[in-house]
Each structure stands twice: as C-alpha cells, then as structure tokens.
DNA sequence: GAGTTTGGCTAATGGGCATAGCTTTATGGC
DNA sequence: GCCATAAAGCTATGCCCATTAGCCAAACTC
C-alpha cells in the first residue's frame, strides 16, 4: 500500500527506458504492461498519469524527435557548409546507433489532421529546421532549399534505417559507404546551389 | 459445414489483400482475425494452412519484396546508366504509392541468424541485385559498386519512406524534389565511377 | 463403399488494453 | 491535531487477439 511516487514524466521516462532496452524493435514492442512492471505497479495504475498507450507512444516519439533534433543542433553548431552537413549526418547516425528504439520512434509520421499529433508535428518541423539551417552555408536559392533538404533527409534517413534494419551485409565497409553517400550529398547540394536550372534533367 | 476451400497460398493472398486495404499501416495492423473474417472462417482454422501470425507476416513480406524486385527489374530492362537508374527509382516509388502496405512489409530486415528468415534473406539479396545490375552501365570499379548501391538504396528508400510517412509538406513540390534527388544520385554515381580515389573527402 | 487424411469447428488459455469502482494515502484548511 | 478531499494506488471485469486442444464432417483413395 505504499505509493510508488509516479508522475506523468516519470512514466514517460520509464517508457523510454523500456524502449531503449529492447533494441530497434523497442518502440514497436512498447507495452503498458512492461512500463507498469518497471514501475512496480499494476498496469491500470498508469492511467492515473497517462491517457492511453497511444498517448504514451506519442510522448515517447515527441521526446525522441526532440533528442534527435538536439543532437543534430549540437553537432552543427559552429560549423558551416559541407562541414556542417557531414557533422549533422554523423550525429544522426550516432544517435540511431546509440538509441535504436528511440530512433525508430522518430520515424512515425504524425497525422496531419489529428489534433493529438499537434506537438508531434511541431517538433518534426523543428527537426527539419535544423537541416535547413545546416544547409544555409551552401548559398542555395530559396526555391531550391526544400529540394536540398529533402534529398539530404532522404539520404541520411534511408542509410541509417537500412543500417538499423540489418540491410547491409559486410559490416566493415559500412563506414566507407556512409562517407561516399555524404560525398554525394555534399556535391549534390553544392551543384544545386551552383546550377540555376537543373531540376528535371533530360529524360 | 461446407468447406471454404482454403490453402496455404489462398491464405497468404487474403493476407495481402488485408494489408493492401489498410494503407501504410496495413502490414503492422495485419491480424489473423482479419484474414479469417475475409476468408469467412474461424480464426483457428487458419492454423491448418499457416504456422502462426509471424509466419504469415514473413510470407507477406517475402511476397512483397518479390513484387518490388519484379517491378524494378521490369522497369530497368532495356535501359542502361542514368536512364536505368531513374527508371528503377520511379518504379520503386510507384510501387510504394500503389501498395503502401506491401511497401512497408518490404522494410522489415530479416534476422541474419534465424533460419525461418532464410527465404527473406534470399529475396532481399535478389532485390539488391537488381540495383547492382542497374548500376552496371556506369562502369564502376568493383570495389565501389557496393558503396554506390548503398547510396542509391538509401536515397530512394529514404525518400519513399519519408513521403509515405507524410514527412513532406507541400505535396505539389514532391515530384520535383524526387527529380532533384535522382539528379544527385546519378551525378554521384557517375562521379564515383570517374574518380579513382574519392571516398573519405577532406574532413 | 470403407478408411484415412484433411479442413473445418468450438472451447479454453493467456496476454494485452481499457474502464469501473473501491481503498488508502497524502495534503491542506481549520 | 483532525477531518475532508483529492490523488494514487488496487482488484475485478470485459473485450480483442493469438494460440492450443480436441472433435467432427467432408473429400479423397483404393
């Protein structure tokens, strides 16, 4: 009958621990029962602090996106151009390696219409903003920024996700492949900044 | 008491229908109960044709990867170089748009150790082989092929996944962004073929 | 047509989310 | 200090799903 001293934040923190402890599938496998067990509490007790499993999931996702954003921001501070872009990519990849479960939580797209996802949409936008800022030094024309940001996000995210999912054999060579990808992205963004009318090449 | 006339393949086919009907989350939401309902049969009856939900999932995933591979192969036949690469990317993206659920099924990485995932590993390798073949026309040195393949897979997969997940606002501009990404990949692969010692640039 | 295989079924178990309603702890006013 | 009330637990319950067990009828084989 003693109290566990839980709180909304404590529950979310425990949920993050559960996610972190279960590897890349940790987010998918997140369950109220596991959080309750870790809290030393019966499962229904969690509803005093959290609306539902879906809510808890959302919160973990938001927190994870914030962490990823912060990691990216920290890595790019004081850098510019290619240097910044490489640092961002490395930070992103490191985050995914250090916290696979949280990285997976990062990947769920917020529903554009659901009011419950408002915060998720907001932090996602902030995360994209870091990429925008990172590319600032390339001197891209305004109407090209969006394309460059998307290409960079796609490349990095795709690589990290494939790596996470074990999509690459020959583990030794993965670092070099990442460098090659970054070379492509750096050169590609630079080219996009240089060439006024490139998009939609001969085809 | 009449029989439903099910079979292993019929169950898998129905499962694919269930996945296709539920959008991008169709694969995650795949359930034996839904398949049974669609088959007009009680859920336990499915066990006469399928080992478990996990098995069924695996089979749907394998089938989905095969479809994606076939789509890529069909699109690149008779093309070479940049042309082939663009065609592959378009095919990939089209597939994801036409069958979001199946595309999601494609993304689960087979366990490298689990014998049950042997077929999944095999079809995944075949899928990668299509990319390898597609890049043949670029004249990449052997030891660079793997990097190029990974960059291409990362870029395309990342883009498609972000698009799928609603990661891009401004839907009108997405096609152009995809073209820009393809320009980068084409130029990047070409550069990789041209420059003997590029990877790991100044940093 | 008899026997066997096969493909259905119902019943039951266990785990997960969620709600309802009770009890106890802490807290805050007096 | 004491009592009222709000907050934080609990158990009990219901529903949905996967899975297992065991039964029964249909269909195929000879």
């Amino acid at each position: 009958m003693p109290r566990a001293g839980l709180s909304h934040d404590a529950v979310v923190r425990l949920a993050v621990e559960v996610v972190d402890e279960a590897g890349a599938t940790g987010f998918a496998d997140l369950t109220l029962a596991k959080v309750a067990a870790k809290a030393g509490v019966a499962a229904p007790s969690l509803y005093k602090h959290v609306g539902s499993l879906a809510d808890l999931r959302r919160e973990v996702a938001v927190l994870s996106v914030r962490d990823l954003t912060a990691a990216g921001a920290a890595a790019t501070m004081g850098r510019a151009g290619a240097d910044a872009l490489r640092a961002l990519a490395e930070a992103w990849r490191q985050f995914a390696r250090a916290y696979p479960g949280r990285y997976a939580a990062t990947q769920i797209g917020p529903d554009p219409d659901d009011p419950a996802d408002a915060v998720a949409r907001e932090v996602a936008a902030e995360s994209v903003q870091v990429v925008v800022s990172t590319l600032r030094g390339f001197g891209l024309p305004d109407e090209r920024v969006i394309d460059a940001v998307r290409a960079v996000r796609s490349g990095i995210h795709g690589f990290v996700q494939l790596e996470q999912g074990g999509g690459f054999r020959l583990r030794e060579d993965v670092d070099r492949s990442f460098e090659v990808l970054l070379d492509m992205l750096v050169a590609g963004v630079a080219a996009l900044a240089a060439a006024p009318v490139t998009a939609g090449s001969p085809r």
Side-chain angles (χ1 to χ4, degrees), chain A:
Chain A
M1 26 193 100
R3 297 213 171 176
L6 286 181
S7 69
H8 180 87
D9 288 11
V11 171
V12 175
R13 234 187 327 270
L14 288 170
V16 170
E17 282 181 30
V18 169
V19 168
D20 279 344
E21 285 164 10
T25 66
F27 186 68
D29 296 346
L30 176 61
T31 198
L32 284 184
K34 287 179 190 162
V35 176
K38 188 175 271 281
V41 126
S45 304
L46 296 178
Y47 286 86
K48 294 288 159 134
H49 306 284
V50 140
S52 66
L53 174 61
D55 277 7
L56 183 57
R57 251 188 157 62
R58 239 188 301 270
E59 301 229 40
V60 171
V62 164
L63 194 146
S64 300
V65 172
R66 284 213 178 103
D67 286 351
L68 182 61
T69 302
T76 54
M77 252 169 217
R79 300 180 195 267
D83 196 26
L85 178 48
R86 284 176 200 278
L88 175 66
E90 298 285 359
W92 218 309
R93 184 167 174 231
Q94 289 308 324
F95 183 89
R97 293 178 143 194
Y99 310 105
R102 257 183 269 183
Y103 186 78
T106 277
Q107 297 166 219
I108 58 151
D111 185 333
D113 303 320
D114 191 345
D117 273 6
V119 184
R121 284 193 296 273
E122 194 180 313
V123 295
E126 286 165 12
S127 173
V128 173
Q129 195 52 44
V130 170
V131 183
V132 173
S133 304
T134 298
L135 295 187
R136 196 177 283 141
F138 283 89
L140 288 158
D142 284 356
E143 71 278 12
R144 288 289 147 75
V145 170
I146 189 172
D147 299 323
V149 168
R150 285 172 174 173
V152 166
R153 286 176 68 206
S154 296
I156 301 176
H157 171 68
F159 190 97
V160 168
Q161 163 139 348
L162 287 175
E163 184 180 20
Q164 278 290 314
F168 300 143
R169 317 275 223 303
L170 299 162
R171 205 161 306 160
E172 329 82 51
D173 294 339
V174 174
D175 288 348
R176 193 190 46 165
S177 295
F178 193 59
E179 286 302 318
V180 169
L181 172 67
L182 290 189
D183 288 348
M184 283 190 198
L185 292 177
V186 167
V189 173
L192 197 63
V197 197
T198 319
S201 65
R203 218 225 132 185

